[in-house]
Amino acid sequence: MNPQEFFAITKRIVQIGSVGDLKDRVTSDILISLNANIYRIWRSWPWNWSAQDISVALTAGTANYTMPSNIGEIHELYVSGETKRLKYVTRKEYLDWILENPVATGTPEVYIKTGRDADEFLTIRVSPTPSASGTILGWGKKRISTLSQANIEANAPAIPFIPTETHTVLLNFVLSDMFQLKGDKLGAQYYRGLADADLNQLIAAESANADEEINAPPPDVIRFRSRMRRKGLAA
């Protein structure tokens, strides 16, 4: 769905506001809900479709670095030419590392997240401080932007981050919010239930690994039948 289709179907289902009016209060409420729920879905899982390459120049003698503007979350980092990834550590672990490994410079082995800079870009600190130039590479979650009223009126850009095939999850979250605003608690609960179920299914599909071996012990009934078969008895 494009933005205007999304707003139109929301108004029709909830029977609220004017479908052709993109400047009414209902449109503003839908926009607030839409942005909030895009971020809700963004935060809920490291989605495959959100993966974004990271490349940051490594400078000798510099320990602090800023991630690219399109990175909203760091997944994995490594230094080009090295065989091990940078290990993420907590601040407490970082202090322990500095005390136990008082090396002034070298090849970075660990990093901590140090927050955001003035532009809200993610920042990190590596240790040891690099002794040579290079490149920090890796992957992160793509940062997303907020849709504005102007975007809706222009019907562009497309709804960010959420692939078209998963728009129903987003729509159900927004419908729940709109029914809540309308005072229809049953409608709000119904669509929230659909949204939560759909989101859980998406997470399950993304986390499924067909090559993963089953490590959990088999149920007692299966082990009992296996013993009976080995003894030549029916079970």
Side-chain angles (χ1 to χ4, degrees), residues 92-107:
K92 182 183 292 186
E93 291 171 330
Y94 179 77
L95 290 176
D96 290 340
W97 168 269
I98 294 298
L99 293 174
E100 295 174 5
N101 300 273
V103 179
T105 61
T107 300

Side-chain angles (χ1 to χ4, degrees), residues 21-136:
D21 187 354
L22 295 177
K23 296 181 180 294
D24 62 359
R25 178 63 209 184
V26 173
T27 297
S28 298
D29 290 338
I30 295 174
L31 181 59
I32 293 171
S33 174
L34 176 61
N35 282 318
N37 284 295
I38 288 173
Y39 281 105
R40 179 203 299 272
I41 296 173
W42 184 90
R43 292 191 305 269
S44 64
W45 190 258
W47 306 104
N48 290 331
W49 69 71
S50 70
Q52 186 74 38
D53 289 339
I54 294 174
S55 180
V56 177
L58 197 66
T59 304
T62 301
N64 297 306
Y65 295 90
T66 301
M67 293 292 102
S69 60
N70 62 346
I71 298 298
E73 188 176 281
I74 300 169
H75 290 165
E76 299 293 345
L77 297 175
Y78 66 100
V79 176
S80 59
E82 297 300 316
T83 58
K84 294 182 179 180
R85 62 184 173 85
L86 284 174
K87 180 182 179 182
Y88 166 69
V89 294
T90 64
R91 289 178 177 82
K92 182 183 292 186
E93 291 171 330
Y94 179 77
L95 290 176
D96 290 340
W97 168 269
I98 294 298
L99 293 174
E100 295 174 5
N101 300 273
V103 179
T105 61
T107 300
E109 296 182 40
V110 301
Y111 76 96
I112 59 170
K113 299 174 183 178
T114 53
R116 297 173 182 263
D117 66 8
D119 295 315
E120 292 293 314
F121 301 157
L122 299 178
T123 57
I124 66 169
R125 179 178 301 161
V126 299
S127 182
T129 300
S131 57
S133 60
T135 307
I136 296 176

Side-chain angles (χ1 to χ4, degrees), residues 31-32 38 91 119 134 146 158 161 167 174 187 196 201 208:
L31 181 59
I32 293 171
I38 288 173
R91 289 178 177 82
D119 295 315
T146 301
F161 180 69
H167 278 183
V174 173
D196 286 339
Q201 287 179 356

